[in-house]
Amino acid sequence: MGKTILITGPSLAPAAVAVLSEAGYEPVYLPPYADAAVLMSHVVEHRPVAIISRMGRIEASIFEVAPQLRIVSKHGVGVDNIDIDAASAHDVPVIVASGANAVSVAEHAMALLFAVAKRVVPLDRSLREGRWEKPNFKGRELSGSTMGLVAFGAIAQHTARLAKAFDMSIIAYDPFAADETFTRCGVQRASSLEDLLRQCDVISLHCPMTEQTRGLINHETLSLMREDAILINTARGGLIDEPALVKALDAGQIAGAGLDTFATEPPAADHPFFASDRVVLTPHIGGVTAAANVRVGVEAAQGIVDYLAGRPLAASRIVNRAQLSKLAQPQFAGELH
């Protein structure tokens, strides 16, 4: 069996590299956001038995030229950059580092919320430009507000805990989460997305990007939100119809937005978001902290090592478990959540 692990990015946390090295595997790195041709050339040259997916896409063509590829491990949890159907067709499990960056992303969601609600960015800019806007400024308290979480996985659950510390009420919508999860976290369950949007002062997105969730926030759903509502997205940019959000912000239909992800990354230099002082933007770095980088890297690497050694993986980590013919094998146990 080959010993090369391809990393679709320029680096991996030293602790994660140690996990691979101690098991006898050699990491090979790609430039950040390498295109399909560069990725394919490395796959053909190095014949990796596994890929750790960090930056850029893994298209169907990669699986076609890599018969030796046995597993893809996502450095994080979002797998919309991986052709899951192609992986399944080639009996390649795709696993995620479930929950490893939950604390960092939840903290960033709250940071975006406070930056938008307190107008930190425009106030900082105006002060640097010589304006003292205190006489006409009217601030906003978040205490007593209601936060709505779209999906209720590990990141959303930690966001709920942080928001409660600021005396916010929490409602969540997730048709797939168990009732026990809501009860344990002390969070009210919304009956529908529409119900959630109507009730909440803050909407924070935490759902995966699928064909069903693409454009989840659009002209129709934005029209259900309150005029003082703030939209936070630390999940995936494609969840939002960006032109519809721009129109809603320009019209004062909602109060503001804090966005860490975009439909196209990086966004074009002339993207309308850049012209709006109602939006706070960050470059998809919610989970990029020193602590999370180590946890995610180690979990991504350990998943590969365990799988190739025939050790069982937590079923909740395997994205395409239900599609794989290998499911009859004993290393897959439990249920996919």
Side-chain angles (χ1 to χ4, degrees):
M1 182 177 68
K3 289 292 185 178
T4 299
I5 310 294
L6 193 63
I7 319 296
T8 63
S11 64
L12 196 64
V17 174
V19 169
L20 297 177
S21 300
E22 289 169 8
Y25 295 103
E26 178 184 0
V28 172
Y29 301 94
L30 268 68
Y33 298 102
D35 62 24
V38 172
L39 175 56
M40 183 172 292
S41 68
H42 278 72
V43 168
V44 171
E45 177 183 355
H46 297 288
R47 297 180 57 79
V49 291
I51 295 175
I52 294 181
S53 173
R54 291 203 61 195
M55 305 170 185
R57 294 193 57 79
I58 301 179
E59 307 284 3
S61 57
I62 298 303
F63 297 96
E64 294 169 3
V65 299
Q68 79 291 339
L69 183 64
R70 295 188 57 196
I71 187 170
V72 173
S73 183
K74 174 66 179 183
H75 192 274
V77 293
V79 295
D80 51 297
N81 66 320
I82 302 169
D83 192 320
I84 300 297
D85 290 338
S88 300
H90 289 81
D91 282 334
V92 175
V94 177
I95 65 173
V96 296
S98 180
N101 64 358
V103 172
S104 294
V105 178
E107 289 180 351
H108 196 71
M110 295 301 293
L112 287 172
L113 171 57
F114 274 87
V116 175
K118 303 299 184 180
R119 296 188 57 77
V120 172
V121 174
L123 287 171
D124 176 87
R125 183 188 307 116
S126 69
L127 189 57
R128 291 171 188 271
E129 293 172 351
R131 297 189 300 279
W132 185 258
E133 298 191 5
K134 181 176 180 177
N136 298 314
F137 181 74
K138 182 180 291 185
R140 173 174 178 172
E141 285 189 356
L142 289 170
S143 176
S145 298
T146 300
M147 172 181 276
L149 303 170
V150 181
F152 201 51
I155 295 171
Q157 290 170 34
H158 197 78
T159 303
R161 287 192 286 272
L162 295 178
K164 283 184 175 183
F166 290 96
D167 196 29
M168 299 178 71
S169 300
I170 313 298
I171 304 174
Y173 172 69
D174 190 329
F176 303 107
D179 288 336
E180 186 276 334
T181 303
F182 291 85
T183 302
R184 171 171 49 82
C185 297
V187 170
Q188 180 181 338
R189 183 170 203 159
S191 59
S192 67
L193 175 63
E194 292 76 15
D195 182 51
L196 183 83
L197 297 177
R198 291 189 183 100
Q199 291 189 63
C200 296
D201 306 292
V202 177
I203 302 296
S204 189
L205 305 181
H206 299 282
C207 53
M209 173 62 188
T210 67
E211 286 308 308
Q212 289 70 39
T213 60
R214 185 183 301 277
L216 188 73
I217 302 300
N218 51 47
H219 174 76
E220 181 179 354
T221 50
L222 284 163
S223 71
L224 301 176
M225 295 171 63
R226 298 176 174 180
E227 286 188 3
D228 63 350
I230 295 173
L231 175 66
I232 303 298
N233 188 12
T234 53
R236 286 295 183 268
L239 298 172
I240 297 175
D241 179 335
E242 292 181 345
L245 177 56
V246 170
K247 289 181 180 178
L249 290 167
D250 289 347
Q253 188 176 339
I254 66 171
L259 308 175
D260 187 48
T261 60
F262 308 90
T264 299
E265 296 185 347
D270 61 350
H271 197 295
F273 284 154
F274 294 130
S276 176
D277 68 357
R278 291 176 176 264
V279 186
V280 174
L281 308 169
T282 54
H284 203 157
I285 47 74
V288 185
T289 64
N293 192 52
V294 172
R295 288 195 300 267
V296 172
V298 168
E299 190 162 333
Q302 191 65 56
I304 287 173
V305 170
D306 288 342
Y307 178 79
L308 295 179
R311 293 190 285 269
L313 298 175
S316 60
R317 294 188 59 190
I318 307 167
V319 175
N320 56 341
R321 178 173 177 263
Q323 302 171 346
L324 293 173
S325 64
K326 292 182 178 181
L327 291 188
Q329 297 184 7
Q331 67 259 36
F332 293 92
E335 295 184 359
L336 181 62
H337 299 288

